Amino acid sequence: MTRLELGIPGIRRDPARMPPTFGRPDVPGLVDTFGRVARDLRISITEKCSLRCTYCMPEQGLPAIAREDLLSATEIARLVGIAVRDLGVHDIRFTGGEPLMRADLVEIIRLSSAVAGDASISMTTNGIGLDHRVRELVAAGLTRLNISLDTVDRDHFARLTRRDRLPAVFAGIQAAKEAGVTPLKINAVLMRDTLAGAADLLEWSLANGVRLRFIEQMPLDADEAWARDNMVDAAELLDVLGARFSLSQPHREDPSAPAEEWIVAGGPATVGIIASVTRSFCEACDRTRVTAEGTVRSCLFGDDETDLRGLLRGGASDETIADWWRAAMWGKQAGHGINAADFIRPLRSMGAIGG
């Protein structure tokens, strides 16, 4: 077992000692020492997943988190309320593992939507089982969906995910479209094995009216197989896509948006590329993360975590929890540092952090 398969944080700050906040301005938002303000909250609600993607999960899955150690639907909604009301968050995204593995997902969405005000409520999912639940999720308050799909080749899909479930993903996507979810985004992690099919995936996305975004693979795989020299970068992808499609006018819809968008064949369709490694956007990062166990993780690559679950269950007020959250984000690191000579992988894999 590798250290990433353990899925545990490196430094877990408990409610006995608040992180240092020397020099922090007296402002309500989640500001850090570099002047960034976090307004996008990612909440992982489970470590379980119905797939075993090689860039995310070990083949046997992550060690199970005891039910009592997971945040409950009520606790999750309380954090959502604090984030929106007290901390200036305006985007809420539920992640995993696979959020659809939570039996109480509809309740999580319903309770969170009730306290989220004008904030969007979205979810990242692999789509398996979505066809059976999407309408009740939308009725509960879900506004947007990101569905992970790296290839439309069934054999490649089975090898990459270690499961032959591509038809189930297609069924979930179709159900989301019929339920009126818009925009419906497709996330594809760039892999050497699937690069040859990238143009096919874009063609399928255009034909099905969904917005495709490719993502450079980061060193967050549980098997620790990632190598900088072997990763597919944005430039190589553009060469492959450009052989079939005319791509023009790269732009970002929002300065903090991770995806750079290219207009395809004159528009209006676009394809996005999230070049997390080669075109880092850390200086504009506006995310804060909460793990399934209720710890704040200020950076995807920062192993220090601050325990909010203990505060929630220890009778702390919303004001106290907000103060701890602000303190955790104040110490956010400058960036992931992947290209630095002294770069060290985070202890948690992507599946254990939440996408």
Side-chain angles (χ1 to χ4, degrees):
M1 178 175 286
T2 70
R3 64 191 182 99
L4 286 177
E5 286 177 274
L6 297 173
I8 56 176
I11 304 171
R12 188 185 181 104
R13 296 191 179 104
D14 62 46
R17 299 181 64 186
M18 181 183 285
T21 58
F22 179 77
R24 186 187 185 280
D26 185 16
V27 295
L30 295 172
V31 64
D32 64 35
T33 57
F34 299 94
R36 298 167 297 191
V37 181
R39 299 185 179 91
D40 183 332
L41 169 59
R42 306 296 172 97
I43 305 181
S44 175
I45 60 175
T46 182
E47 85 294 349
K48 295 179 174 59
C49 190
S50 47
L51 299 178
R52 295 291 184 270
C53 298
T54 56
Y55 55 80
C56 180
M57 287 271 186
E59 187 169 4
Q60 69 274 24
L62 292 167
I65 300 174
R67 174 177 289 186
E68 61 269 20
D69 291 336
L70 290 170
L71 292 180
S72 69
T74 301
E75 290 169 335
I76 291 169
R78 186 179 173 194
L79 289 182
V80 167
I82 292 170
V84 173
R85 183 188 63 246
D86 301 325
L87 301 174
V89 167
H90 55 59
D91 289 309
I92 311 295
R93 178 176 299 279
F94 294 106
T95 71
E98 171 48 55
L100 290 167
M101 301 293 283
R102 281 282 294 247
D104 59 348
L105 177 59
V106 172
E107 183 182 11
I108 291 171
I109 299 294
R110 179 178 60 81
L111 293 177
S112 297
S113 179
V115 297
D118 294 333
S120 64
I121 302 288
S122 60
M123 182 174 76
T124 296
T125 174
N126 62 32
I128 296 175
L130 184 62
D131 52 326
H132 301 298
R133 305 182 71 182
V134 66
R135 291 193 178 275
E136 60 179 347
L137 291 171
V138 170
L142 186 71
T143 56
R144 291 187 288 116
L145 276 169
N146 283 31
I147 299 178
S148 300
L149 178 62
D150 305 311
T151 176
V152 289
D153 182 283
R154 188 166 179 173
D155 289 338
H156 284 172
F157 183 92
R159 290 200 301 272
L160 185 62
T161 67
R162 303 181 177 112
R163 301 289 188 273
D164 184 15
R165 303 297 304 277
L166 183 58
V169 178
F170 285 154
I173 292 170
Q174 181 61 33
K177 290 171 60 181
E178 293 173 357
V181 178
T182 183
L184 185 58
K185 296 182 179 180
I186 302 297
N187 291 345
V189 175
L190 281 169
M191 303 285 289
R192 185 63 56 188
D193 288 346
T194 58
L195 178 61
D200 294 333
L201 180 56
L202 177 53
E203 187 169 292
W204 175 89
S205 299
L206 296 173
N208 285 272
V210 296
R211 295 179 60 181
L212 175 62
R213 304 187 310 173
F214 290 96
I215 305 171
E216 286 183 345
Q217 186 190 5
M218 294 180 286
L220 292 166
D221 55 313
D223 293 332
E224 299 190 17
W226 183 91
R228 179 66 178 84
D229 293 341
N230 192 47
M231 64 164 281
V232 179
D233 61 24
E236 188 172 1
L237 172 67
L238 287 169
D239 286 342
V240 170
L241 296 181
R244 189 183 303 183
F245 300 95
S246 169
L247 305 177
S248 62
Q249 301 179 42
H251 64 282
R252 277 191 166 82
E253 295 178 344
D254 181 291
S256 296
E260 193 171 11
E261 302 280 347
W262 272 258
I263 294 175
V264 182
T270 63
V271 61
I273 301 178
I274 301 177
S276 309
V277 177
T278 62
R279 303 180 188 180
S280 170
F281 43 86
C282 294
E283 69 280 357
C285 179
D286 67 346
R287 294 179 184 175
T288 181
R289 299 175 184 273
V290 174
T291 68
E293 306 99 312
T295 61
V296 173
R297 193 175 178 98
S298 62
C299 174
L300 190 60
F301 284 82
D303 280 322
D304 57 306
E305 298 182 4
T306 299
D307 184 15
L308 298 186
R309 187 186 66 200
L311 295 169
L312 288 166
R313 298 178 182 179
S317 66
D318 287 1
E319 181 180 5
T320 296
I321 293 171
D323 282 342
W324 275 80
W325 204 331
R326 294 184 187 105
M329 293 304 296
W330 177 243
K332 183 174 181 173
Q333 63 193 52
H336 54 53
I338 291 174
N339 295 312
D342 59 350
F343 171 73
I344 299 176
R345 292 170 177 256
L347 290 173
R348 286 185 187 255
S349 65
M350 179 62 85
I353 297 169

